[in-house]
Amino acid sequence: MLINVAENVVADALRGMAAAHPELAVDVENRVIVRGDAPVAGKVALVSGGGSGHEPLHGGFVGPGMLSAACPGEVFTSPVPDQMVRAAAAVDSGAGVLFVVKNYTGDVLNFDMAAELAEDEGVQVAKVLVNDDVAVTDSLYTAGRRGTGATLFVEKLAGAAAEEGMPLERVEAIARRVNDHSRSFGVALSACSTPAKGSPTFDLPAGELELGIGIHGEPGRERRSMMTSGEIADFAVHTVLEDLKPRNPVLVLVNGMGATPLLELYGFNAEVQRVLRERGVAVARTLVGNYVTSLDMAGASVTLCQIDEELLRLWDAPVRTAALRWGM
Amino acid sequence: MLINVAENVVADALRGMAAAHPELAVDVENRVIVRGDAPVAGKVALVSGGGSGHEPLHGGFVGPGMLSAACPGEVFTSPVPDQMVRAAAAVDSGAGVLFVVKNYTGDVLNFDMAAELAEDEGVQVAKVLVNDDVAVTDSLYTAGRRGTGATLFVEKLAGAAAEEGMPLERVEAIARRVNDHSRSFGVALSACSTPAKGSPTFDLPAGELELGIGIHGEPGRERRSMMTSGEIADFAVHTVLEDLKPRNPVLVLVNGMGATPLLELYGFNAEVQRVLRERGVAVARTLVGNYVTSLDMAGASVTLCQIDEELLRLWDAPVRTAALRWGM
Amino acid sequence: MLDADFFCRWLAAAAAAVDREADRLTELDSPIGDADHGSNLRRGFTAVVALLEKEAPDTPGAVLTLAGRQLISTVGGASGPLYGTLLRGTGKALGQAPQVSEAEFADALRAGVDAVAALGGAAPGDKTMLDALVPGADALPTSFAAAREAAHQGALATVPLQARKGRASYLGERSIGHQDPGATSSALLFEALADTAEAAGEALDDASGEASGAASGE
Amino acid sequence: MLDADFFCRWLAAAAAAVDREADRLTELDSPIGDADHGSNLRRGFTAVVALLEKEAPDTPGAVLTLAGRQLISTVGGASGPLYGTLLRGTGKALGQAPQVSEAEFADALRAGVDAVAALGGAAPGDKTMLDALVPGADALPTSFAAAREAAHQGALATVPLQARKGRASYLGERSIGHQDPGATSSALLFEALADTAEAAGEALDDASGEASGAASGE
Ligand SMILES: Nc1ncnc2c1ncn2[C@@H]1O[C@H](COP(=O)(O)OP(=O)(O)O)[C@@H](O)[C@H]1O
Ligand SMILES: Nc1ncnc2c1ncn2[C@@H]1O[C@H](COP(=O)(O)OP(=O)(O)O)[C@@H](O)[C@H]1O
Ligand SMILES: [Mg+2]
Ligand SMILES: [Mg+2]
Ligand SMILES: [Mg+2]
Ligand SMILES: [Mg+2]
């Protein structure tokens, strides 16, 4: 691993991010990444965060048109409430703060505590839970669906809504609508290695793959022998479409888990588009890349988000972050 | 690997790229990626290309402010002259075409043949060779320094010059100046697997690394036992600075080889910046990411480019491509 | 009676145990989790000990409340708020008494465990830390040693369970056959507690009845 | 005398050999290259055979020139232009004669090999395809079998060499101890040539002196 010591990977990364992005205000000690011009007067602020190891999520999405601040926890460990409280204080202009929380026990508990504390300090806080992962089928007997690829959609679209000047309730409603209309499914072709463990988190022989993985290097629901890119696309898209029955066009995110070469990811996208065509689903926009990752895991996920005119406008709206950038 | 069959990976990727990027004209059959509005009247065109497996290089750099067209070869195999000839014909507005060629025997031979053929068809062609890799020390008894990370700088800066309307000689001179003032050094923490071979191209046990690698999954000049991110930064930056003695500020590219998590890459950047500070080298701009890759290889390279006022202006100039985008 | 110092020594012992077992906890968190439980708790308990060395409150309740707040501020993940709530809930229940009896402590710990269940929404049998915390707390009125043993057995008993809370639940039936890392670390806390009490008891015996920090045999 | 059909059969035999040995060629290209030589040549020679089946030119020169152009258009990498130049150079030197003698072919092949050396700037001893091409071409005036053997020995002799051209040169001394993939494929071409000639000779013997496509013993 390209690291110094496992204990310092997050701090080291934040120092490197600060050096590469003078437009961001990076508080290395307190682990908060804030857009440089925050607070923006009158604008609702978006704060997200979660364990590190999913980069560019969330820090790479801080900037005009997307997040106001991000709170990186230790690798695969949700941040502590102090970080979110500090971030909220730094970005709140008085218009309120939306916490974008991926649905993991740790994230939920820590953001909940942070929301209470921030409200004690007079910040108006709303929360939206992202839980798009259809691989978690039985939400009664589990911690519920995980937040994965849809997080990018929620952060982009709600971020654009906030940038347009919408009030907190509307930004929150848009975030919720995006989440409600988004579903994901992921596969792993290899496990990943956390700095703390130093070796793969589980054993996945070449020639086998895990279906229905999350983004924390955990095994999926099921192991199979290797499938082609086309077969994986069939499986993933069908599984998503069993749950999401889009009547409108969709946004497509073909996301790499970190170590999937773009060459393969684009090839996989060709298959995903084929399946969508076969199923009669119209595609409005497609984004391909390693955006919501699991360290050096090989694999991919597909996220579909059924959109409407407003959401399409918000998607096309300008965004200027380290990892997602267009229109300005 | 997330593929269908090894023979089709390039065609599959091009289909996927076409689907994700309607602003590009992707000729899947003839393997040429052209910016959608080409030819641009009066503008010098830039054409590059090389083996696939280095994505986003070069296809991800096609668009306003950078390349006019890219020609992807098979994985790690330079494209054939027919592709470059076709690309040149598609993008030439009469102002001439600059071929950006990485210094590998295959690329040089194929682009040379293409230049002859294109000139036969009445296109004015200039060529610039990128050879920035200081790991190749003995250019008398080798094929000469390889073209690696500096390719991104050459394509961005010469692309911006062409976009500004400079004539072919000046665009060519800028490309040459960028290359002359750029040096790179890379390390591998793992080998990569080509689709054709299906397994790692060489054996690199965990706990060892290769110093002085190129971008084709080849071993480096030397194997060592694992070093920390800080030690690697020391080694890489010192080696580059032995060769490049910048008096002006530099552009820094901290580049991942494909499977290096952004978390690690940003941490590595912190160390690179430390070494530059210790050596008194001023940094004008820093770019961190997986840009000039070697499939799923883990590792990183450092490229420095000594700039001047004109080059800094060209770096900051707007660019709109799949992988590099700012100012528009 | 148990005084503030006893609880500081317990937390120091817990930190040492977590430090010693961190790799095993992370290892247990690999097949059914995300391979961070050991480093999470090590970070948190190290910070707790550092804080208590700097400012040791003088009541048992304040020691546990401060330690819980520190866990919340330094651990993150699921276990940070949960263990933080365990200590805070216990500490709050102890109130401001300068010394507490073992029975008072057992009642308070029960309140802390209830707070964990309320926060995380889990029940015994869900393959979580509660599978060690609840039997441990149940046995504490008997003796520290009985609590240690009960928590230990509770942790072992998570192996055949299918997880219904936390990350392991995503695995469905594949979570069966692995010991829950959180239940394992909870058992470590009870072990550290019993060890601390026994050491205090021995110190007491050695000193033939000196008064300070006594803990055992009441 | 060798006619167009003989050269088509040679190229078909070469394509079959390359196909058979593709994995080995790629394997040789792994430690000192980029693991593509076998698939490169397979792609190229498959395309050559397909083209020749569609439009078989009727002179030896035209067959080789067309095949060389097809290699250039389909292989890429270093070996595409180099092998393309080998065949084109040889084909051009053969001119437009409908049949050529073995001696004429040997001279033409020498011209093709020279063109490869001129294009790539390599010399024998640099650990490239020239290390098999040059001895093979040198021995061709003796016999097809001698050329096969010389090229084969030339390829084997690349093992102890340090590469000075192509990708392997980047490795410096670490290139020593590996057989050059390009020299190995060049030896395959000579092997296919000798096999084709021998098969033609046998066909000749079997048919006791029929005229068409004869190749051996002149
Ligand atoms: N809802 C819950 N209630 C009680 N304990 C839980 C709950 N969710 C998770 N846990 C415990 O937390 C442990 C995992 O802690 P840790 O690995 O530090 O956090 P994370 O799962 O966020 O990585 C699990 O082994 C389990 O015992
Ligand atoms: N300059 C050169 N002259 C002659 N042969 C060369 C030269 N450079 C490379 N070669 C040959 O090409 C072979 C590699 O071919 P191939 O793997 O298809 O291309 P690439 O190196 O572009 O991947 C080498 O083994 C060597 O024999
Ligand atoms: Mg965790
Ligand atoms: Mg090659
Ligand atoms: Mg965990
Ligand atoms: Mg090769």
Side-chain angles (χ1 to χ4, degrees):
Chain A
M1 253 168 265
L2 188 56
I3 62 172
N4 289 318
V5 292
E7 289 68 35
N8 292 350
V9 287
V10 177
D12 286 351
L14 288 176
R15 287 190 298 127
M17 201 165 184
H21 296 286
E23 74 278 14
L24 298 174
V26 179
D27 181 341
V28 178
E29 201 192 335
N30 296 299
R31 308 203 167 182
V32 180
I33 301 165
V34 179
R35 59 184 269 190
D37 59 352
V40 178
K43 191 184 95 57
V44 167
L46 263 75
V47 172
S48 191
S52 291
H54 309 302
E55 290 69 25
L57 185 82
H58 301 266
F61 298 147
V62 173
M66 215 160 165
L67 292 181
S68 311
C71 305
E74 286 296 322
V75 172
F76 291 168
T77 303
S78 82
V80 299
D82 312 51
Q83 291 170 269
M84 289 77 107
V85 172
R86 191 176 291 265
V91 297
D92 183 32
S93 68
V97 178
L98 178 68
F99 282 177
V100 178
V101 185
K102 304 197 296 303
N103 186 36
Y104 299 97
T105 307
D107 293 74
V108 171
L109 296 181
N110 284 286
F111 269 99
D112 278 355
M113 290 187 168
E116 270 181 45
L117 293 168
E119 276 165 355
D120 285 354
E121 294 182 10
V123 179
Q124 195 190 349
V125 178
K127 283 178 296 187
V128 61
L129 211 61
V130 184
N131 59 351
D132 54 310
D133 178 12
V134 298
V136 180
T137 44
D138 190 346
S139 49
L140 203 61
Y141 293 109
T142 63
R145 286 182 166 175
R146 298 171 286 214
T148 60
T151 317
L152 184 151
F153 288 145
V154 171
E155 294 180 357
K156 171 68 181 82
L157 298 168
E163 207 71 43
E164 280 190 359
M166 292 188 196
L168 184 57
E169 312 76 52
R170 279 194 64 200
V171 174
E172 180 189 349
I174 285 194
R176 216 173 293 283
R177 188 159 102 227
V178 173
N179 180 60
D180 288 349
H181 290 153
S182 295
R183 298 289 189 285
S184 298
F185 189 85
V187 302
L189 278 62
S190 80
C192 62
S193 300
T194 62
K197 186 158 189 291
S199 59
T201 49
F202 62 93
D203 215 59
L204 184 51
E208 302 193 10
L209 84 178
E210 287 277 338
L211 291 173
I213 51 143
I215 56 173
H216 293 85
E218 67 270 57
R221 297 279 308 197
E222 195 186 328
R223 183 167 294 192
R224 294 245 186 129
S225 47
M226 191 50 89
M227 298 157 70
T228 65
S229 159
E231 289 164 350
I232 295 171
D234 276 315
F235 194 96
V237 176
H238 288 316
T239 307
V240 165
L241 289 180
E242 249 164 54
D243 210 273
L244 179 79
K245 313 229 175 301
R247 282 150 301 123
N248 292 354
V250 294
L251 300 177
V252 180
L253 171 62
V254 172
N255 175 63
M257 301 312 298
T260 307
L262 268 183
L263 185 74
E264 296 180 20
L265 219 46
Y266 273 117
F268 182 54
N269 180 47
E271 298 297 332
V272 168
Q273 303 284 333
R274 171 189 57 76
V275 184
L276 289 170
R277 216 162 36 237
E278 288 168 6
R279 293 287 299 258
V281 177
V283 174
R285 300 285 184 274
T286 300
L287 183 68
V288 178
N290 287 283
Y291 289 109
V292 182
T293 64
S294 201
L295 291 170
D296 62 342
M297 177 177 269
S301 64
V302 178
T303 305
L304 302 183
C305 171
Q306 171 186 299
I307 52 154
D308 48 44
E309 254 175 55
E310 182 177 43
L311 295 184
L312 186 58
R313 184 191 77 233
L314 294 171
W315 179 253
D316 288 339
V319 58
R320 192 166 74 225
T321 70
L324 217 61
R325 193 156 180 156
W326 55 73
M328 61 180 165
Chain B
M1 252 169 266
L2 188 55
I3 62 171
N4 288 318
V5 292
E7 289 68 36
N8 292 351
V9 286
V10 177
D12 286 351
L14 288 175
R15 287 190 296 127
M17 202 168 184
H21 296 285
E23 73 279 13
L24 298 173
V26 180
D27 182 340
V28 178
E29 202 191 335
N30 296 299
R31 306 202 169 183
V32 180
I33 301 165
V34 179
R35 61 184 266 190
D37 59 353
V40 178
K43 192 184 94 56
V44 167
L46 262 75
V47 172
S48 191
S52 291
H54 309 301
E55 291 69 25
L57 184 84
H58 301 269
F61 298 147
V62 173
M66 215 161 163
L67 292 180
S68 311
C71 306
E74 286 295 323
V75 172
F76 291 168
T77 303
S78 82
V80 299
D82 312 51
Q83 291 170 267
M84 288 77 106
V85 171
R86 191 177 290 264
V91 297
D92 183 32
S93 69
V97 178
L98 178 67
F99 282 176
V100 178
V101 185
K102 302 196 298 302
N103 187 36
Y104 299 97
T105 308
D107 292 74
V108 171
L109 296 180
N110 285 286
F111 269 99
D112 278 355
M113 289 187 168
E116 270 181 44
L117 293 167
E119 275 165 353
D120 285 354
E121 293 181 11
V123 179
Q124 196 190 345
V125 178
K127 283 178 297 189
V128 61
L129 211 60
V130 184
N131 59 351
D132 54 312
D133 178 12
V134 299
V136 180
T137 43
D138 189 346
S139 51
L140 202 63
Y141 291 110
T142 63
R145 287 182 166 175
R146 296 170 288 213
T148 60
T151 317
L152 184 152
F153 288 145
V154 171
E155 294 180 357
K156 170 66 181 83
L157 298 168
E163 208 72 42
E164 281 190 357
M166 291 188 196
L168 185 56
E169 312 77 52
R170 280 194 64 200
V171 174
E172 182 191 348
I174 286 195
R176 217 173 292 283
R177 188 158 101 228
V178 174
N179 180 62
D180 288 348
H181 290 153
S182 297
R183 299 288 188 284
S184 299
F185 189 85
V187 303
L189 276 63
S190 80
C192 62
S193 300
T194 62
K197 187 158 189 291
S199 60
T201 49
F202 62 93
D203 217 57
L204 184 51
E208 302 193 11
L209 85 177
E210 288 277 339
L211 291 173
I213 52 142
I215 55 173
H216 292 86
E218 67 271 57
R221 297 279 307 199
E222 197 186 326
R223 183 167 296 193
R224 295 243 187 129
S225 47
M226 191 49 91
M227 298 157 70
T228 65
S229 161
E231 290 164 349
I232 295 171
D234 277 314
F235 194 96
V237 176
H238 287 317
T239 308
V240 164
L241 290 180
E242 250 163 54
D243 211 89
L244 180 78
K245 314 230 176 296
R247 282 150 300 124
N248 293 351
V250 294
L251 300 177
V252 180
L253 171 62
V254 171
N255 175 62
M257 301 311 297
T260 307
L262 269 184
L263 185 73
E264 296 180 20
L265 219 46
Y266 274 116
F268 183 52
N269 179 46
E271 298 297 332
V272 167
Q273 303 284 334
R274 170 188 57 76
V275 184
L276 289 170
R277 214 161 38 236
E278 287 168 5
R279 293 288 300 259
V281 177
V283 173
R285 300 284 184 275
T286 300
L287 184 68
V288 178
N290 287 285
Y291 289 110
V292 181
T293 64
S294 201
L295 291 169
D296 62 342
M297 176 177 269
S301 64
V302 179
T303 305
L304 302 183
C305 172
Q306 171 187 298
I307 53 154
D308 48 44
E309 255 176 53
E310 182 177 43
L311 294 185
L312 186 59
R313 184 191 78 231
L314 294 171
W315 179 253
D316 288 339
V319 57
R320 192 166 73 225
T321 69
L324 219 59
R325 193 157 178 156
W326 55 74
M328 63 180 165
Chain C
M1 295 294 281
L2 310 170
D3 61 7
D5 189 50
F6 172 82
F7 288 94
C8 287
R9 277 182 282 124
W10 171 32
L11 292 168
V18 159
D19 187 58
R20 193 184 66 229
E21 300 290 327
D23 287 350
R24 188 167 71 98
L25 294 174
T26 291
E27 203 60 55
L28 289 173
D29 199 27
S30 297
I32 58 168
D34 57 353
D36 62 357
H37 189 57
S39 45
N40 286 348
L41 291 193
R42 170 148 48 190
R43 185 173 59 253
F45 278 93
T46 306
V48 163
V49 167
L51 184 63
L52 290 178
E53 276 171 8
K54 241 180 37 195
E55 41 167 314
D58 45 17
T59 67
V63 168
L64 293 183
T65 314
L66 185 71
R69 181 77 194 96
Q70 180 74 332
L71 286 183
I72 291 172
S73 289
T74 55
V75 174
S79 58
L82 291 167
Y83 276 129
T85 295
L86 175 71
L87 296 191
R88 266 163 53 97
T90 307
K92 280 189 187 163
L94 287 178
Q96 310 197 322
Q99 295 202 330
V100 299
S101 70
E102 282 181 32
E104 284 165 339
F105 174 45
D107 284 347
L109 188 70
R110 154 71 50 202
V113 172
D114 287 347
V116 170
L119 180 67
D126 286 349
K127 196 174 184 124
T128 70
M129 55 174 70
L130 286 173
D131 289 318
L133 290 178
V134 168
D138 283 349
L140 192 54
T142 310
S143 75
F144 288 115
R148 164 170 56 196
E149 181 57 21
H152 178 65
Q153 292 303 332
L156 292 179
T158 61
V159 174
L161 298 177
Q162 173 168 344
R164 283 191 293 242
K165 289 286 168 186
R167 289 176 192 292
S169 69
Y170 303 136
L171 289 169
E173 294 183 356
R174 292 174 84 184
S175 64
I176 293 172
H178 299 275
Q179 185 168 325
D180 180 60
T184 310
S185 57
S186 287
L188 281 184
L189 297 192
F190 279 101
E191 189 182 308
L193 180 63
D195 290 353
T196 307
E198 281 162 15
E202 282 160 22
L204 203 66
D205 292 349
D206 287 359
S208 322
E210 258 185 73
S212 87
S216 93
E218 334 206 337
Chain D
M1 296 294 280
L2 310 170
D3 60 8
D5 188 51
F6 172 82
F7 288 95
C8 287
R9 277 182 282 122
W10 171 32
L11 292 168
V18 159
D19 187 58
R20 194 184 64 229
E21 300 291 326
D23 287 349
R24 188 168 71 99
L25 294 174
T26 291
E27 203 60 55
L28 289 173
D29 199 28
S30 296
I32 58 167
D34 56 353
D36 63 358
H37 190 57
S39 45
N40 285 349
L41 291 192
R42 169 147 48 189
R43 184 173 60 252
F45 277 94
T46 305
V48 164
V49 168
L51 184 63
L52 289 178
E53 275 171 6
K54 242 179 38 193
E55 42 167 313
D58 46 17
T59 66
V63 167
L64 294 183
T65 315
L66 186 71
R69 181 78 195 95
Q70 181 74 334
L71 285 183
I72 291 171
S73 290
T74 55
V75 175
S79 59
L82 290 167
Y83 276 129
T85 295
L86 175 72
L87 296 190
R88 265 163 55 97
T90 307
K92 280 189 185 163
L94 287 177
Q96 311 197 321
Q99 295 203 331
V100 299
S101 71
E102 281 180 31
E104 285 165 338
F105 173 45
D107 284 347
L109 187 69
R110 155 71 49 201
V113 172
D114 288 347
V116 170
L119 180 66
D126 287 350
K127 196 173 185 127
T128 71
M129 55 174 68
L130 286 173
D131 289 316
L133 290 178
V134 167
D138 283 348
L140 191 55
T142 309
S143 74
F144 287 114
R148 165 171 54 196
E149 182 57 20
H152 178 64
Q153 293 304 332
L156 293 180
T158 60
V159 173
L161 297 177
Q162 173 168 344
R164 283 191 293 243
K165 290 285 168 189
R167 292 179 187 290
S169 69
Y170 304 135
L171 290 170
E173 294 184 354
R174 292 174 85 185
S175 65
I176 293 172
H178 299 275
Q179 185 168 325
D180 180 61
T184 310
S185 58
S186 286
L188 281 183
L189 297 192
F190 279 101
E191 188 182 309
L193 180 64
D195 290 351
T196 307
E198 280 161 15
E202 283 161 21
L204 202 68
D205 292 350
D206 288 357
S208 325
E210 258 185 71
S212 85
S216 95
E218 327 209 340

